[in-house]
Structure formats: C-alpha cells, structure tokens
Amino acid sequence: MQLSLTVRGPGAEAVSYLIAKNPNNLYERGEKGLTVRLVYPTFSSEEVQFLIYVKTDPIDLVKNSPDSFDITHYINDREFAASSIFVSSIRKSLGTALNGKPAEDYASWVEHPFELELSFGPIATDLSNPELEALFAPMDYTIKIESGESFIRERSTARFITLIGKQTLQNALKHISILIPVIDNYKHYFIDERELEKLDRYGEGWLEEHPQKAFILKRSLRFPKMISQSRFYEKETKTEEKHEPPKIRLNDHRYEAIIKYVKALPKKGTIVDIGAGEGKLSVQLGFIEGVQEILSVEPSNKARLRAMERFEQAKEKRGFVEPKSFAGSLFYYDERLLNKDVMVLCEVIEHIDEYRLASVFETIFREYRPEVLIVTTPNQEYNVVYEMDVAMRHHDHRFEWTRAELRQKVDAWSKLYPYQVSYQGIGEENQLYGHPTQMVIFRREEG
C-alpha cells in the first residue's frame, strides 16, 4: 500500500521542509509488523514527488496478539490494502506536515496552495465510484478512479484513487487522513475518545461544510453516542414523531427460519454451525430441546473470543447446551465434523471464491455426510428492492446469485450424492424478486 504526492510550480522544493524529510536520504522506520519508507523519485525547483510506502508482515503483525491463531490472516488480503493501518503509519511519518509545524523559516509555506496530484491504493471499499467522488469533489478535486479487477481478482472491490487539485499540503493530508478509513470502513483498533480528537483536529477547515458530513461521521465514529459528541455533529430535526414497531432485522429472520426448521427435525442431537462468527446462531441452537452437542466453527480468533463470552453468559440460563468453539474452515478437512445430524452454513458460501465451492460441497457430501445440511445465501434479484448503488451487499461477497443460478449450482453439487433438496425464502417477499435470502435444505436419503 502506498501514497504518492506530486507538487508542481514555483517553490515546489519547499515540500521537503514541510514534511521534514531530506530528499538525499532514504527515510525508513520500522514498527511491529510494518516498515514505512519514503523516497523522492522527482525533486527540482518546479516539481517534487514523494512516495510513501508501507510494507506489511502479516505474520509479525498478529504475533503475540489476541489474533495470533486467526487463520483469516493467511487467506485474506486485508493487510495489503490501504486502511486505518496505513493511515496510522503515515500520520506518524508525515506528522510535521499534518500539524503544520515545519522549521520556522518555512512556516509561510504551510498556507501555500500547490498544484498537486495525490494517488493512493489499493484500497478495498464497498462504495460506488459516484460515492467516492462525492467525498472529494467538495474540496475541488478532480478524481480519477482505477479498478483493481485486472490484477487482483474478478469483480474486485479494490480501487486506486488519484486526486488532482490546488490545495495546501497540510489540507490534502488532512483529507486523506480522515477519508481513507471512511472509504475502507475498517478500523484496526478500538474506537474511543481519541478518535474524536483526531476527527476534530484533521476535519477542521473543511468538514464543517462538507455535504457528506453525516456519512463521514457515521463511518468514522460508528456509535451514535460517539457521533453526538463530535463538534461537527448536527442534531436532525423531526417535524413529526412516529411510533412504529421496530423492524426485525433480516439476520434475525434467518436465525428464526433456521431454528424453526431444526426444532421440527426428528434427529437434531448433534449440530455443526460452520462460519459461526460471534456465535449468535450457535447460542440460539443451544436452547433447542433435544440438542446434545453444538460445534461452533469459525476461522477468526477474534470472533471466537466474542462467541465464547456469549456462550458463558448464556450458561446461566436453564436448559442451555453450551456450544464447543474451535477454529476451523471449510478449506481444511476436520474429522470432528463427521456424521452429524445437522450442519448449518448461514451466509457463508458467498464469502468463498466461486471456483472453490464445488470441492467444498464434495467434502461435505462425501466425507462429512450430515443428515441435514442447511445453507442460506443472498438472493441477488432482491438487490433491486434495496436500490443499491453497489454490485453486492457486502464488500467481502465474492458473488451473489439469482434464484435460478442457485438451483443450477445446487443441482451440480448434489446430483452424485443421496440428498433430497428443498428451497425456502427468508424475509419480506417481493412479488417480482422473491425473498432477500434463499435457504436450501439438503436431507440425506439413507441412514
């Protein structure tokens, strides 16, 4: 992940003093899991370009941390995308320019607007190109956006963004310092009062009047209580107070449908919840009468820790069967999953590259041989109802299928194995587009 900034025009060489980095020396700084380097590919009185590059070591990044045994670090590319990790690293290296405190002889250049071109990436995002442009256009940037599809993966969410405009160096760095985490919508640290301080400091002078201010605050601070404490927060005025029953979240509809189906099964003593996340479904399965064992399988160690806290709290309630949590993945064979009564993949398969699914289901049907397999996944047709500006509902989805596409895939997966297949829609039905979630149930025909 890298950021390149080019300044053109008289006085361009002042940039080296604004960032306090000697153009004749390679700047390099190391910290846990990261190496930050800054070089000047171009340096003259009329044009200066500096490049700041952050190299990550994913293994060292998680070593001796709570995520040390989180295998998602080996199968995801998060550590190689511009994000809050990147911003935190370059803030330290470019702190002199960000705070506007160079050597006294060059203090007057802090307020000098340069003709500049700023590029950064790759950055993973769930935002559409028009939404990205709306973040930078109010500061009078011309925006160029290059997709990462050709060299990362098909339908990649990665972007390379270039901003062209007339700005002070300090303001340009303030803009990206706030907006890169907004674009990526990812924080590698806990959000607390220090985040308010950073937003107030780096948002000063431009965020007050930004038309997307509410959106930026929401993606930066996440929590309503935190958002309301920002000096940029403006309370919405409501002309009419409506008392409507709270809507049930789609995720709750999914859990309800799965629980209802499992309750009705004659055999449900042993259950596997694969891709269990923070254990919300696993907990509900633990209260079903007749269930004797639940294996809650999840590759993320951070999610498993939260799940185990949830299980511990549920233990206090009568009739609860505590799930057994362990690290695992559909990519790795695990004999502990053999011959269970029920296996559940709730909103899991769309996070797997499509070409890998055939082998995944082959392992399930041929090796694990559950009596019942329950799979849920989004119905791509329903996205029209949501009036989405992006291709898929979540930035990590590798695909989303129509109802016909799902049936075609299911036929291919199951034709060689003794399973009967049925389908069920979950969520509010649309006459044209069906339900938002598709549920497929595979029932084994032999004992």
Side-chain angles (χ1 to χ4, degrees), residues 372-414:
V372 174
L373 171 66
I374 300 171
V375 178
T376 73
T377 192
N379 170 20
Q380 187 270 338
E381 298 164 77
Y382 202 89
N383 292 353
V384 174
V385 180
Y386 291 136
E387 299 180 351
M388 293 167 49
D389 293 326
V390 292
M392 289 181 279
R393 299 183 197 176
H394 189 275
H395 64 85
D396 190 52
H397 284 185
R398 311 302 168 92
F399 62 85
E400 288 175 3
W401 288 329
T402 65
R403 289 167 289 177
E405 287 171 333
L406 177 64
R407 287 172 183 262
Q408 182 182 23
K409 297 290 184 182
V410 165
D411 288 344
W413 297 333
S414 60

Side-chain angles (χ1 to χ4, degrees), residues 43-276:
F43 191 89
S44 71
S45 60
E46 293 289 328
E47 180 176 343
V48 169
Q49 178 190 28
F50 70 82
L51 176 70
I52 187 163
Y53 173 81
V54 179
K55 181 181 178 182
T56 61
D57 181 340
I59 296 175
D60 190 45
L61 205 58
V62 299
K63 193 180 295 181
N64 299 320
S65 76
D67 292 330
S68 295
F69 302 101
D70 188 341
I71 65 174
T72 56
H73 293 283
Y74 296 90
I75 60 178
N76 290 336
D77 56 4
R78 159 59 54 199
E79 288 79 14
F80 303 98
S83 63
S84 58
I85 297 175
F86 178 66
V87 168
S88 296
S89 302
I90 67 172
R91 272 180 184 157
K92 296 175 184 176
S93 302
L94 300 176
T96 302
L98 259 172
N99 297 319
K101 295 183 178 179
E104 187 175 349
D105 291 346
Y106 291 87
S108 61
W109 288 95
V110 172
E111 301 298 326
H112 179 78
F114 293 99
E115 296 289 344
L116 58 79
E117 181 175 319
L118 188 155
S119 300
F120 58 89
I123 182 166
T125 182
D126 59 338
L127 301 182
S128 65
N129 286 358
E131 287 173 316
L132 294 172
E133 291 169 0
L135 290 175
F136 292 102
M139 287 85 80
D140 296 324
Y141 287 109
T142 299
I143 304 102
K144 295 180 180 179
I145 302 172
E146 182 182 358
S147 171
E149 292 179 7
S150 59
F151 40 82
I152 296 183
R153 73 163 189 258
E154 186 180 359
R155 296 201 304 186
S156 172
T157 59
R159 306 283 195 282
F160 289 82
I161 298 174
T162 299
L163 309 174
I164 302 171
K166 195 168 187 176
Q167 297 282 348
T168 69
L169 179 63
Q170 182 183 27
N171 282 343
L173 294 177
K174 282 182 175 181
H175 298 157
I176 60 150
S177 185
I178 296 296
L179 293 180
I180 283 179
V182 168
I183 294 169
D184 182 58
N185 201 25
Y186 167 80
K187 288 284 196 303
H188 73 284
Y189 51 82
F190 182 76
I191 298 173
D192 58 16
E193 284 72 15
R194 288 172 294 182
E195 200 69 10
L196 276 171
E197 296 171 5
K198 284 186 283 189
L199 192 69
D200 288 351
R201 187 186 322 133
Y202 300 130
E204 184 179 5
W206 64 276
L207 187 52
E208 297 93 334
E209 305 299 325
H210 199 294
Q212 300 294 319
K213 177 173 62 177
F215 177 74
I216 293 169
L217 289 178
K218 182 179 179 181
R219 303 262 288 202
S220 297
L221 300 174
R222 301 285 173 87
F223 308 111
K225 183 178 180 180
M226 291 286 290
I227 293 170
S228 64
Q229 292 174 8
S230 171
R231 70 182 181 89
F232 299 113
Y233 172 73
E234 294 179 6
K235 188 174 182 180
E236 296 179 3
T237 56
K238 297 182 180 180
T239 55
E240 182 181 354
E241 190 71 26
K242 294 183 179 180
H243 299 281
E244 298 179 352
K247 289 187 176 181
I248 301 176
R249 296 171 64 245
L250 179 56
N251 211 39
D252 294 329
H253 278 299
R254 293 189 196 106
Y255 294 163
E256 182 182 339
I258 292 169
I259 296 299
K260 182 179 179 181
Y261 188 84
V262 172
K263 281 182 176 179
L265 290 173
K267 289 182 62 179
K268 48 183 175 286
T270 55
I271 301 177
V272 178
D273 182 10
I274 295 188

